[in-house]
């Protein structure tokens, strides 16, 4: 099928350049995946089949399946229950519980892992992994389900009540079916995030495909073995993404007559509200208080208090912090720049070709970061050796991993910018570049700033690609935490973890200030495939 047959009928020279730029970005996005597939295809099929039958692969597949299933189920239940009580019941300190339910997303999973595993070695393995990931990823379900609950038409529930349905029957027969797209979408996002998790599993000594791919590559730089394992992980990710697309095509339950919106009624729980409050407090203690308290404890300890005494200086912390901030700012600028052509086309010229390009970005975003990093390593070594272990290659990896996050925000920002202003500027004689610089970009500036904040937040907490692709001598807060906690130097890791947590919280606050809660809800609901580590919202 020719590309021009997918494009809108009347395409101007300016729009042709935009399509060309967007296609070039998509080609860059797809290149690591194509390289991994090509590399695995170079292997002898018999060797590939032998690899699949190795006991180790069976053990990795079992571990991965168990942790993905258990985490997804736990987050689904936690997110649904918390969202229901936060949105539909009358509780003391009503506004506090949604914030506490979302706050764990500001703490990277490998920092939570470090906090828990430093308490007791018994938390290593599956129990610790389930505890950490369940705490970190339950907001991925809470956010879209909360937004869906606020968008339901209360008249349906009132009608059901007048017909004799009690609260429980009304929930299971009327409300839960309407929440199904948001609930399943959030749970599938949890499954994808768990599938691609790396740092938490390494610290908790729980072996999955991602940890084994990294070990295979680091043990002997065996890119063929790592590529074969990556193919298995890629197939599982593709199945989950296909399932997610199927869920998105489910029938919509949104209200057709917008009319005057009103808030749904909140249930009075009487004395039972204190049980619900106690549940929220207990959950907040597990997901926030204990990890942060452990971090505070190690901050007060000398380096000798840990199993491996390692001293850390203010200079090292400043160097790691400045590296993280520098990479975050440069990566965010590059990612938003690459997102502009496709974001503009999606907002102004939606069609079959732009839809296909958007789906490609989501597909790449669903692929584990370690597979993208390995693909870029192979490309840089075999095709452009001068790029290997350069900062540009690392920034390119960040852009590939987090481009969908930027596209969702950029498209939303450009949709809010009135196209009439753009047309008026052109009718008054402004050229394309002048229209972009003097009209379009200023109108979309808050949304573009939010996109940059979201990408910055994701970059400073990213670990896998940074470990594989960072230039020699470059240490970030994330890599320092990983190095110290891997050596069980918990006291030395504490200052880096505190700096990264503060940086993450500041970025989250900036994002909330730029977008506001309603827009965050829209991102969680409309672009839940693109939130991956949007999770960090």
């Amino acid at each position: 099928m020719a590309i021009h047959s997918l494009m809108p009928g009347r395409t101007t020279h300016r729009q042709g350049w935009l399509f060309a730029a967007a296609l070039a970005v998509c080609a860059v996005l797809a290149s690591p995946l194509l390289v991994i597939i090509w590399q695995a295809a170079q292997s002898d099929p018999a060797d590939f089949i032998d690899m699949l039958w190795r006991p180790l692969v069976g053990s990795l597949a079992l571990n991965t399946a168990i942790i993905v299933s258990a985490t997804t189920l736990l987050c689904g239940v936690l997110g649904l229950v918390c969202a229901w009580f936060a949105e539909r019941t009358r509780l003391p300190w009503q506004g506090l519980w949604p914030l506490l339910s979302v706050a764990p997303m500001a703490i990277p999973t490998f920092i939570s892992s470090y906090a828990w595993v430093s308490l007791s070695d018994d938390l290593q393995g599956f129990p610790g992994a389930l505890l950490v990931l369940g705490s970190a990823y339950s907001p991925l379900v809470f956010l879209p389900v909360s937004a869906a609950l606020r968008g339901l038409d209360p008249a349906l529930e009132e009608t059901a009540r007048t017909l004799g349905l009690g609260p429980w029957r009304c929930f299971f027969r009327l409300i839960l079916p309407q929440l199904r797209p948001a609930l399943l979408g959030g749970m599938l996002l949890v499954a994808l995030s768990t599938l691609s998790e790396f740092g938490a599993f390494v610290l908790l000594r729980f072996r999955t495909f991602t940890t084994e791919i990294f070990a295979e590559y680091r043990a002997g730089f065996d890119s063929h073995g790592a590529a074969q394992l990556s193919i298995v992980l890629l197939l599982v990710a593709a199945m989950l993404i296909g399932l997610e697309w199927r869920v998105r095509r489910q029938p919509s339950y949104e209200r057709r007559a917008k009319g005057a919106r009103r808030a749904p009624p909140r249930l009075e729980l009487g004395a039972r509200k204190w049980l619900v409050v106690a549940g929220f407090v207990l959950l907040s203690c597990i997901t926030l208080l204990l990890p942060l308290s452990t971090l505070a404890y190690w901050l007060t300890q000398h380096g000798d208090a840990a199993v491996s005494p390692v001293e850390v200086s203010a200079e090292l912390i400043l160097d790691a912090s400045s590296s993280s901030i520098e990479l975050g700012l440069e990566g965010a600028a590059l990612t938003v720049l690459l997102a502009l052509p496709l974001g503009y086309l999606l907002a102004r010229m939606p069609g079959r070709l732009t839809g296909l390009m958007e789906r490609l970005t989501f597909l790449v975003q669903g692929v584990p970061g370690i597979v993208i990093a390995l693909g870029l390593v192979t490309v840089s070594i075999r095709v452009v050796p001068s790029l290997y272990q350069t900062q540009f290659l690392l920034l390119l990896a960040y852009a590939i991993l987090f481009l969908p996050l930027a596209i969702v925000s950029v498209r939303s920002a450009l949709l809010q910018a009135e196209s009439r202003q753009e047309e008026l500027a052109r009718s008054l004689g402004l050229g394309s570049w002048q229209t972009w610089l003097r009209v379009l970009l200023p109108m979309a500036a808050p949304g573009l700033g939010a996109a940059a904040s979201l990408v910055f937040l994701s970059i400073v907490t990213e670990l896998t690609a940074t470990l594989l692709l960072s230039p020699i001598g470059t240490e970030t807060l994330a890599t320092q935490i990983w190095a110290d906690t891997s050596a069980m130097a918990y006291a030395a890791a504490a200052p880096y973890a505190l700096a990264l947590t503060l940086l993450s919280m500041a970025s989250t606050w900036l994002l909330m200030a730029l977008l506001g809660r309603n827009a965050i809800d829209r991102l969680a609901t409309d672009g839940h495939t693109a939130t991956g580590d949007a999770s960090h919202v």
Side-chain angles (χ1 to χ4, degrees):
M1 180 183 297
I3 288 180
H4 62 77
S5 65
L6 301 173
M7 296 172 64
R10 299 178 59 186
T11 304
T12 64
H13 180 71
R14 173 180 59 84
Q15 292 163 347
W17 276 107
L18 283 172
F19 273 104
L23 285 170
V25 170
C26 289
V28 173
L29 282 177
S31 58
L33 296 184
L34 296 177
V35 166
I36 286 293
I37 294 171
W38 171 80
Q39 197 170 18
Q42 300 304 305
S43 307
D44 189 340
D47 291 342
F48 185 70
I49 293 174
D50 287 343
M51 185 274 296
L52 291 179
W53 285 105
R54 283 162 53 190
L56 174 63
V57 174
S59 172
L60 295 175
L62 182 63
N63 282 353
T64 303
I66 289 176
I67 192 62
V68 168
S69 304
T71 304
T72 303
L73 185 61
L74 176 63
C75 290
V77 173
L78 276 179
L80 177 63
V81 171
C82 290
W84 168 258
F85 282 116
E87 297 295 335
R88 287 304 179 87
T89 61
R90 198 173 297 281
L91 298 173
W93 312 293
Q94 193 75 52
L96 177 63
W97 311 120
L99 289 177
L100 290 179
S101 299
V102 177
M105 297 171 72
I107 304 177
T109 53
F110 56 89
I111 290 183
S112 296
S113 306
Y114 145 67
W116 281 103
V117 81
S118 65
L119 283 177
S120 170
D121 289 341
D122 294 336
L123 290 171
Q124 290 183 352
F126 176 77
L130 182 60
L131 175 66
V132 169
L133 297 189
S135 302
Y137 293 149
S138 62
L140 298 182
V141 177
F142 176 88
L143 276 171
V145 172
S146 294
L149 280 169
R150 284 196 292 277
L152 295 184
D153 188 350
L156 291 175
E157 297 172 49
E158 292 165 359
T159 304
R161 296 283 179 83
T162 59
L163 293 175
L165 283 185
W168 286 107
R169 293 177 66 192
C170 183
F171 176 79
F172 284 106
R173 294 182 60 180
L174 181 66
I175 298 175
L176 191 57
Q178 297 180 80
L179 297 179
R180 188 175 61 184
L183 177 62
L184 294 183
M187 290 175 68
L188 283 167
L189 182 56
V190 172
L192 280 172
S193 301
T194 307
L195 189 68
S196 60
E197 179 60 52
F198 169 74
F201 290 151
V202 170
L203 296 178
L204 293 163
R205 310 288 194 268
F206 187 71
R207 298 179 73 179
T208 63
F209 275 110
T210 52
T211 61
E212 191 60 28
I213 290 170
F214 184 80
E216 192 93 11
Y217 177 74
R218 277 296 173 95
F221 291 93
D222 181 7
S223 56
H224 282 90
Q228 289 176 342
L229 288 174
S230 298
I231 288 296
V232 179
L233 196 59
L234 199 57
L235 289 175
V236 177
M239 288 171 57
L240 289 174
I241 293 169
L243 188 59
E244 195 278 338
W245 284 348
R246 186 179 177 85
V247 168
R248 292 184 80 184
R249 291 199 300 268
Q250 295 291 324
S252 171
Y253 294 92
E254 66 181 272
R255 70 177 81 187
R256 296 301 181 191
K258 299 297 181 185
R261 299 179 68 92
R262 58 189 174 92
R266 289 180 179 271
L267 293 177
E268 292 288 353
L269 298 176
R272 289 176 296 180
K273 67 185 177 187
W274 297 110
L275 286 176
V276 177
V277 170
F280 272 115
V281 171
L282 177 62
L283 186 62
S284 301
C285 288
I286 295 173
T287 58
L288 289 173
L289 185 61
L290 272 172
L292 294 179
S293 299
T294 307
L295 183 59
Y297 166 77
W298 284 113
L299 278 172
T300 62
Q301 300 301 305
H302 192 269
D304 296 337
V307 175
S308 302
V310 174
E311 293 300 328
V312 60
S313 66
E315 184 180 358
L316 289 174
I317 298 173
L318 286 176
D319 286 345
S321 300
S322 61
S323 293
S324 294
I325 293 172
E326 178 187 346
L327 289 172
L329 291 175
E330 293 176 356
L334 177 63
T335 308
V336 173
L337 184 65
L338 292 178
L340 278 174
L342 184 53
Y344 180 89
L345 292 174
L346 288 169
R348 295 288 193 262
M349 304 178 64
R352 294 174 61 189
L353 181 56
T354 53
L356 287 174
M357 288 190 285
E358 182 189 24
R359 287 180 181 278
L360 175 63
T361 64
F362 288 167
L363 174 65
V364 173
Q365 198 273 333
V367 175
I370 194 166
V371 177
I372 300 292
L374 277 177
L376 285 176
V377 167
T378 305
V379 169
S380 61
I381 290 176
R382 293 175 179 253
V383 183
V384 195
S386 59
L387 275 183
Y388 184 59
Q389 287 204 324
T390 61
Q391 186 159 319
F392 177 77
L393 188 65
L394 180 58
L395 295 177
L396 188 61
Y398 291 148
I400 292 174
L401 287 171
F402 305 124
L403 189 68
L405 307 182
I407 285 178
V408 171
S409 297
V410 168
R411 179 179 56 182
S412 300
L414 293 175
L415 280 173
Q416 291 175 350
E418 293 184 31
S419 58
R420 287 180 304 175
Q421 302 289 338
E422 187 183 344
E423 295 164 2
L424 182 62
R426 288 206 174 89
S427 68
L428 293 175
L430 289 184
S432 298
W433 286 108
Q434 288 179 314
T435 304
W436 270 83
L437 293 176
R438 297 176 61 180
V439 178
L440 201 54
L441 292 182
M443 286 194 296
L448 300 183
S453 300
L454 187 57
V455 175
F456 174 84
L457 177 58
S458 303
I459 288 175
V460 296
T461 56
E462 205 282 334
L463 178 62
T464 317
T466 311
L467 284 173
L468 285 177
L469 297 172
S470 60
I472 295 176
T474 299
E475 299 292 347
T476 66
L477 291 170
T479 57
Q480 282 288 4
I481 295 168
W482 186 82
D484 287 336
T485 51
S486 297
M488 303 181 77
Y490 299 130
Y496 298 111
L498 176 66
L500 185 55
T501 302
L502 292 177
L503 195 58
S504 178
M505 289 181 172
S507 304
T508 305
W509 172 84
L510 179 62
L511 182 65
M512 294 289 286
L514 286 170
L515 282 178
R517 186 181 174 192
N518 291 335
I520 294 289
D521 288 343
R522 283 199 301 275
L523 280 179
T525 306
D526 299 336
H528 54 73
T529 36
T531 47
D533 285 300
S535 38
H536 298 302
V537 172

